[in-house]
Amino acid sequence: MDNLSDTLKRLKITAVDRTDDSLEGCLDCLLQALAQNSMETSEKIQGSGILQLFASLLVPQSSCTAKVANIIAEIAKNEFMRIPCVDAGLISPLVQLLNSKDQEVLLQTGRALGNICYDSHEGRSAVDQAGGAQIVIDHLRSLCSKTDPANEKLLTVFCGMLMNYSNENDSLQAQLINMGVIPTLVKLLGIHCQNAALTEMCLVAFGNLAELESSKEQFASTNIAEELVKLFKKQIDHDKREMVFEVLAPLAENDAIKLQLVEAGLVECLLEIVQQKVDSDKEEDIAELKTASDLMVLLLLGDESMQKLFEGGKGNVFQRVLSWIPSNNHQLQLAGALAIANFARNDGNCIHMVDNGIVEKLMDLLDRHVEDGNVTVQHAALSALRNLAIPVINKAKMLSAGVTEAVLKFLKSEMPPVQFKLLGTLRMLIDAQAEAAEQLGTNVKLVERLVEWCEAKDHAGVMGESNRLLSALIRHSKSKDVIKTIVQSGGIKHLVTMATSEHVIMQNEALVALALIAALELGTAEKDLESAKLVQILHTLLADERSAPEIKYNSMVLICALMGSESLHKEVQDLAFLDVVSKLRSHENKSVAQQASLTEQRLAVES
């Protein structure tokens, strides 16, 4: 270290005199000291005030320039030295050196700038102001096609520099994207796929940029899908495949790229991994199986990519995914059920799958998860059944296959995601199926559970779906027994509250159900309707200018139906409904205006 002090003193003198030979000797000593103890040497350099001198040594025509840049690169490996490098005014001369023709100068300058930018806001900001990023991108473009080792090393350093410059910084990443870095990096990957270090650097850069939504369109206009799949096929090492996966996942969120990945043959690679890893109990194999099957499900979220893989239900991929459902591997069961839910996104696919026995497979899967089952698998299988139940033609087939019985086994579940899907599945199944709606609506256990879930204030989705199912049971069954069961279970107040929902569709469903209650079982429901303040709520809905036409219409239909009850009739009279209703006779919606005239007549007669 005494030698180091002498060197620093000598360096101060020679830096001023510019005698290149003695300067070179001093620089070599510094590099040696940094190699032995980087932190201590850096502290000494900072203390000596020599950093400011380095700025004057970074001149293109000097033979020592590369060594000075190298020293700065080594110093900047230490976090505490990055801001001092910026404060010493080193960024501007370093960026100027990026215009050099000397490969060694470019290499060391790229390293120095990359290290100063690493995790340093000040470093990045200074490089940004000096315009360093654009020069580096221009170099990448012009050097892209040269495959000699020295050039590949330089390309790797430049990629690394851009990565450190923009890592986790959205605005700098957006700047690089606007400068057109993505097509250049994709081209690099294609040409230099044999070079592990450069490939790795490109992948990390893609991983950073792919998180940004604005990057997806640029990626979609390149052949990134083809290059990544090509690279993926070559990887034997788990860690390298993991790196490719980390780029594929964010990119595959884009529908255009999903289709490109499918066309490039990614799915076949994923299926192969699943086959290889399915029986392994090694931690890394289990992780890779999960990643591969999750990515497979993600690819099926795009309409075009999904339809391409469905191939009319005859496709190899669809058949392979089907085989995951009966497997003993929870991850595959989950991915299989989610994939079916994704395939079940149009009527044609749903009808084909139901006709070919998918329902029985999903019911068997649910059966295996009734007692202490896997919640994610339950949720996925119920999602698939719910989607399959959407086409009218499938409902009766699924009901006769025993789907409601299979689903009701999960009524005791305490998991909101399972409760939510269970409710949605039942609601889909009974749509326009009077017999099934009556059967479920007179199932006291179910109705009591629905009433309980209608109060699940912590889970708005479950609460909303429970209300909608209660209403659907009445609307589709039009059954007195169903209404009595709901009254006895305390469900009326929830239907009245539902009429005040912020969602018009839910308000409407509630009002139609309440009108049926009033028409079929007014005597039984009278007290509950009174205590739930239905009449006041209807008055508010009719008086509120923001209420949708169908809400006003159904509220008036309901008012007329309530006139059969003495106590409710009295409430209607006390609230001066005639004023509100007569105003609606001139409503722009013809149905509302006509119903207002009818309601006004009825109110006038009854008063």
Side-chain angles (χ1 to χ4, degrees), residues 235 259 529 575:
Q235 305 305 327
L259 187 59
L529 293 171
L575 271 175

Side-chain angles (χ1 to χ4, degrees), residues 545-561:
E545 285 177 12
R546 292 164 303 176
S547 294
E550 58 269 42
I551 302 302
K552 291 190 187 293
Y553 178 88
N554 283 323
S555 296
M556 288 187 281
V557 170
L558 182 48
I559 286 292
C560 294

Side-chain angles (χ1 to χ4, degrees), residues 494-523:
H494 297 299
L495 289 170
V496 174
T497 306
M498 184 181 167
T500 64
S501 163
E502 56 186 338
H503 304 290
V504 173
I505 191 163
M506 285 175 68
Q507 281 185 293
N508 220 17
E509 287 170 0
L511 291 169
V512 172
L514 288 165
L516 283 165
I517 292 168
L520 298 170
E521 273 299 325
L522 186 55

Side-chain angles (χ1 to χ4, degrees), residues 66-130:
K67 277 187 183 162
V68 177
N70 188 358
I71 289 168
I72 296 168
E74 292 303 319
I75 290 169
K77 285 179 179 175
N78 299 293
E79 191 183 344
F80 67 91
M81 289 301 290
R82 288 170 201 151
I83 293 176
C85 283
V86 175
D87 293 343
L90 299 181
I91 301 297
S92 185
L94 281 168
V95 168
Q96 291 304 311
L97 286 178
L98 288 172
N99 296 307
S100 169
K101 297 280 181 280
D102 184 312
Q103 199 151 15
E104 184 61 17
V105 169
L106 288 174
L107 185 78
Q108 299 304 344
T109 303
R111 287 184 61 236
L113 289 168
N115 290 351
I116 292 170
C117 286
Y118 185 79
D119 238 355
S120 162
H121 169 70
E122 293 75 8
R124 290 169 182 182
S125 193
V127 173
D128 178 23
Q129 279 162 14

Side-chain angles (χ1 to χ4, degrees), residues 252-255 258-259 296-310 318 337-354 358 383-391 394 421:
E253 285 166 14
N254 176 280
D255 282 359
K258 278 186 185 79
L259 187 59
M296 180 78 204
V297 172
L298 181 58
L299 291 175
L300 292 172
L301 276 172
D303 288 338
E304 280 187 85
S305 50
M306 177 273 287
Q307 211 52 46
K308 190 174 177 66
L309 293 170
F310 189 64
F318 174 63
L338 287 172
I340 296 305
N342 285 346
F343 279 126
R345 286 212 315 279
N346 64 51
D347 283 7
N349 292 5
C350 289
I351 292 163
H352 181 282
M353 286 193 277
V354 168
I358 190 66
S383 295
L385 286 170
R386 181 198 172 280
N387 287 3
L388 290 165
I390 293 171
N394 281 355
K421 285 298 175 188

Side-chain angles (χ1 to χ4, degrees), residues 492-592:
I492 295 298
K493 62 181 180 199
H494 297 299
L495 289 170
V496 174
T497 306
M498 184 181 167
T500 64
S501 163
E502 56 186 338
H503 304 290
V504 173
I505 191 163
M506 285 175 68
Q507 281 185 293
N508 220 17
E509 287 170 0
L511 291 169
V512 172
L514 288 165
L516 283 165
I517 292 168
L520 298 170
E521 273 299 325
L522 186 55
T524 315
E526 185 179 49
K527 280 198 170 61
D528 288 353
L529 293 171
E530 232 178 297
S531 59
K533 308 219 173 346
L534 173 63
V535 174
Q536 289 92 315
I537 284 169
L538 292 173
H539 190 275
T540 306
L541 289 175
L542 287 171
D544 189 348
E545 285 177 12
R546 292 164 303 176
S547 294
E550 58 269 42
I551 302 302
K552 291 190 187 293
Y553 178 88
N554 283 323
S555 296
M556 288 187 281
V557 170
L558 182 48
I559 286 292
C560 294
L562 294 176
M563 304 301 265
S565 149
E566 203 175 309
S567 54
L568 291 167
H569 183 174
K570 187 176 181 311
E571 280 191 36
V572 171
Q573 283 179 315
D574 293 350
L575 271 175
F577 264 84
L578 261 172
D579 301 348
V580 185
V581 171
S582 59
K583 281 181 192 160
L584 293 174
R585 277 190 336 202
S586 56
H587 196 278
E588 59 188 0
N589 183 295
K590 277 192 183 145
S591 303
V592 171

